[in-house]
Amino acid sequence: VLRFCVPLFIALSGFGLAAKYSSSRLSEMDQKIDLKDFYTRRVLKLLPQYLFWALSLYSFLLLAQPITGEIVHYNFFQAIFLGRADYHLYFVPLIFQFYLLFPLLFWVTKKNLWATLFVSLLVQTCVFYIIGLKTESSGYNEPWNDQRQYILAISWVFYFVLGIILALR
Protein backbone atom coordinates (compact mmCIF):
# COMPACT_ATOMS: atom_id res chain seq x y z
CA VAL A 1 0.00 0.00 0.00
CA LEU A 2 2.81 2.42 0.84
CA ARG A 3 4.43 1.88 -2.58
CA PHE A 4 1.42 3.58 -4.14
CA CYS A 5 2.75 7.00 -3.11
CA VAL A 6 5.17 7.14 -6.08
CA PRO A 7 2.53 6.43 -8.78
CA LEU A 8 0.22 8.90 -7.03
CA PHE A 9 2.96 11.56 -6.91
CA ILE A 10 3.70 11.03 -10.61
CA ALA A 11 0.00 11.22 -11.54
CA LEU A 12 -0.36 14.40 -9.47
CA SER A 13 2.72 15.86 -11.20
CA GLY A 14 1.17 15.23 -14.61
CA PHE A 15 -2.14 16.60 -13.35
CA GLY A 16 -0.57 19.77 -11.95
CA LEU A 17 1.44 20.53 -15.08
CA ALA A 18 -1.50 19.83 -17.39
CA ALA A 19 -3.89 21.88 -15.23
CA LYS A 20 -1.51 24.83 -15.41
CA TYR A 21 -1.34 24.73 -19.19
CA SER A 22 -4.97 23.83 -19.94
CA SER A 23 -6.83 26.18 -17.66
CA SER A 24 -10.04 27.54 -19.17
CA ARG A 25 -9.11 30.93 -17.72
CA LEU A 26 -6.17 31.19 -20.10
CA SER A 27 -6.51 32.43 -23.64
CA GLU A 28 -5.54 30.09 -26.50
CA MET A 29 -2.26 32.02 -26.87
CA ASP A 30 -1.37 31.55 -23.19
CA GLN A 31 -2.07 27.81 -23.36
CA LYS A 32 0.88 27.27 -25.70
CA ILE A 33 3.94 26.19 -23.79
CA ASP A 34 6.95 28.47 -24.07
CA LEU A 35 9.55 25.70 -23.97
CA LYS A 36 12.46 27.93 -22.95
CA ASP A 37 10.50 29.39 -20.05
CA PHE A 38 9.04 25.99 -19.11
CA TYR A 39 12.42 24.25 -18.90
CA THR A 40 14.27 27.20 -17.35
CA ARG A 41 11.76 27.57 -14.52
CA ARG A 42 11.83 23.86 -13.67
CA VAL A 43 15.60 23.51 -13.84
CA LEU A 44 16.18 26.59 -11.68
CA LYS A 45 13.59 25.43 -9.16
CA LEU A 46 14.77 21.84 -8.78
CA LEU A 47 18.39 21.47 -9.93
CA PRO A 48 20.22 23.57 -7.28
CA GLN A 49 18.55 21.78 -4.36
CA TYR A 50 19.04 18.37 -5.95
CA LEU A 51 22.73 19.01 -6.69
CA PHE A 52 23.30 20.25 -3.15
CA TRP A 53 21.78 17.18 -1.52
CA ALA A 54 23.15 14.67 -4.01
CA LEU A 55 26.68 16.05 -3.71
CA SER A 56 26.40 16.30 0.08
CA LEU A 57 25.13 12.75 0.50
CA TYR A 58 27.60 11.27 -2.00
CA SER A 59 30.52 13.06 -0.32
CA PHE A 60 29.35 12.01 3.12
CA LEU A 61 29.02 8.37 2.08
CA LEU A 62 32.50 8.41 0.57
CA LEU A 63 33.98 10.02 3.69
CA ALA A 64 32.08 7.70 6.03
CA GLN A 65 33.22 4.58 4.18
CA PRO A 66 36.17 3.86 6.52
CA ILE A 67 33.90 4.29 9.56
CA THR A 68 30.84 2.39 8.41
CA GLY A 69 32.64 -0.19 6.31
CA GLU A 70 29.98 0.14 3.61
CA ILE A 71 31.39 0.44 0.12
CA VAL A 72 29.94 2.93 -2.35
CA HIS A 73 29.34 0.85 -5.49
CA TYR A 74 28.70 3.66 -7.93
CA ASN A 75 30.63 6.53 -9.42
CA PHE A 76 30.00 10.26 -9.42
CA PHE A 77 28.11 10.16 -12.74
CA GLN A 78 25.71 7.51 -11.43
CA ALA A 79 25.26 9.38 -8.17
CA ILE A 80 24.25 12.63 -9.86
CA PHE A 81 22.60 11.66 -13.15
CA LEU A 82 20.91 8.47 -12.03
CA GLY A 83 19.93 9.64 -8.55
CA ARG A 84 22.07 7.07 -6.78
CA ALA A 85 23.69 9.43 -4.27
CA ASP A 86 21.14 7.99 -1.85
CA TYR A 87 18.23 5.65 -2.49
CA HIS A 88 15.44 8.17 -2.12
CA LEU A 89 16.92 10.58 -4.71
CA TYR A 90 16.12 8.35 -7.71
CA PHE A 91 12.88 10.21 -8.26
CA VAL A 92 14.55 13.56 -9.06
CA PRO A 93 16.12 12.42 -12.36
CA LEU A 94 12.77 10.73 -13.02
CA ILE A 95 10.95 14.03 -12.58
CA PHE A 96 13.46 15.73 -14.90
CA GLN A 97 12.64 13.09 -17.52
CA PHE A 98 8.95 13.85 -17.16
CA TYR A 99 9.66 17.57 -17.47
CA LEU A 100 11.46 16.84 -20.73
CA LEU A 101 8.59 14.69 -21.98
CA PHE A 102 5.70 16.82 -20.74
CA PRO A 103 5.28 19.19 -23.71
CA LEU A 104 5.17 16.24 -26.12
CA LEU A 105 2.91 14.08 -23.93
CA PHE A 106 0.60 17.03 -23.28
CA TRP A 107 0.28 17.80 -27.00
CA VAL A 108 -0.26 14.13 -27.96
CA THR A 109 -2.79 13.63 -25.16
CA LYS A 110 -4.79 16.68 -26.27
CA LYS A 111 -4.85 15.32 -29.82
CA ASN A 112 -5.98 11.78 -28.93
CA LEU A 113 -6.70 11.22 -25.27
CA TRP A 114 -7.68 7.55 -25.21
CA ALA A 115 -5.03 6.37 -27.68
CA THR A 116 -2.34 8.09 -25.60
CA LEU A 117 -3.63 6.45 -22.44
CA PHE A 118 -3.72 3.02 -24.08
CA VAL A 119 -0.24 3.35 -25.63
CA SER A 120 1.25 4.58 -22.35
CA LEU A 121 -0.30 1.63 -20.51
CA LEU A 122 1.04 -0.74 -23.16
CA VAL A 123 4.54 0.77 -23.00
CA GLN A 124 4.63 0.65 -19.20
CA THR A 125 3.36 -2.94 -19.15
CA CYS A 126 5.96 -4.03 -21.71
CA VAL A 127 8.74 -2.31 -19.79
CA PHE A 128 7.75 -4.06 -16.56
CA TYR A 129 7.52 -7.38 -18.39
CA ILE A 130 11.01 -6.93 -19.86
CA ILE A 131 12.42 -5.81 -16.52
CA GLY A 132 10.70 -8.76 -14.86
CA LEU A 133 12.36 -11.13 -17.31
CA LYS A 134 15.75 -9.59 -16.62
CA THR A 135 15.37 -9.76 -12.86
CA GLU A 136 13.95 -13.28 -12.85
CA SER A 137 16.61 -14.65 -15.19
CA SER A 138 19.62 -12.99 -13.59
CA GLY A 139 18.70 -12.60 -9.91
CA TYR A 140 17.06 -9.66 -8.17
CA ASN A 141 20.21 -7.65 -7.43
CA GLU A 142 21.65 -7.96 -10.88
CA PRO A 143 21.47 -5.28 -13.59
CA TRP A 144 17.80 -4.33 -13.05
CA ASN A 145 17.27 -3.94 -9.33
CA ASP A 146 14.30 -1.88 -8.20
CA GLN A 147 16.12 1.44 -8.02
CA ARG A 148 17.43 1.14 -11.57
CA GLN A 149 14.06 0.30 -13.04
CA TYR A 150 12.35 3.15 -11.20
CA ILE A 151 14.54 5.89 -12.70
CA LEU A 152 13.13 5.28 -16.18
CA ALA A 153 10.25 7.57 -17.06
CA ILE A 154 8.79 4.84 -19.28
CA SER A 155 8.36 2.72 -16.15
CA TRP A 156 5.86 5.28 -14.88
CA VAL A 157 4.54 6.91 -18.06
CA PHE A 158 0.99 5.56 -17.67
CA TYR A 159 0.53 7.32 -14.32
CA PHE A 160 1.90 10.60 -15.68
CA VAL A 161 -0.40 10.44 -18.73
CA LEU A 162 -3.32 9.51 -16.48
CA GLY A 163 -2.65 12.68 -14.47
CA ILE A 164 -2.59 14.75 -17.67
CA ILE A 165 -5.88 13.19 -18.80
CA LEU A 166 -7.59 13.85 -15.48
CA ALA A 167 -6.57 17.51 -15.74
CA LEU A 168 -7.87 17.75 -19.30
CA ARG A 169 -11.25 16.17 -18.43
Side-chain angles (χ1 to χ4, degrees), residues 7 16 20 40 53 60 67 72 85 95 105 127-128 138-139 148 151 158 166:
K20 179 175 180 160
T40 301
W53 287 108
F60 173 76
I67 300 167
V72 176
I95 292 300
L105 289 174
V127 166
F128 276 119
S138 61
R148 287 189 185 182
I151 64 168
F158 171 75
L166 291 173

Side-chain angles (χ1 to χ4, degrees), residues 46-96:
L46 192 56
L47 191 61
Q49 293 89 341
Y50 171 69
L51 288 176
F52 172 78
W53 287 108
L55 291 170
S56 297
L57 287 165
Y58 184 70
S59 300
F60 173 76
L61 292 173
L62 284 177
L63 292 172
Q65 235 174 283
I67 300 167
T68 63
E70 291 195 30
I71 299 171
V72 176
H73 295 284
Y74 45 87
N75 61 36
F76 180 76
F77 174 83
Q78 291 173 323
I80 301 303
F81 292 103
L82 300 179
R84 299 197 68 199
D86 200 24
Y87 181 82
H88 64 282
L89 291 178
Y90 76 87
F91 75 92
V92 180
L94 173 70
I95 292 300
F96 276 117

Side-chain angles (χ1 to χ4, degrees), residues 12 26 30 37 50-51 67 69 75 83 97 132 135 145 166 169:
L12 289 173
L26 299 176
D30 292 334
D37 179 60
Y50 171 69
L51 288 176
I67 300 167
N75 61 36
Q97 291 172 56
T135 57
N145 64 19
L166 291 173
R169 298 302 274 154

Side-chain angles (χ1 to χ4, degrees), residues 119-138:
V119 169
S120 68
L121 178 61
L122 184 64
V123 166
Q124 184 169 321
T125 303
C126 289
V127 166
F128 276 119
Y129 176 73
I130 292 167
I131 289 170
L133 287 178
K134 285 187 152 293
T135 57
E136 291 297 320
S137 64
S138 61

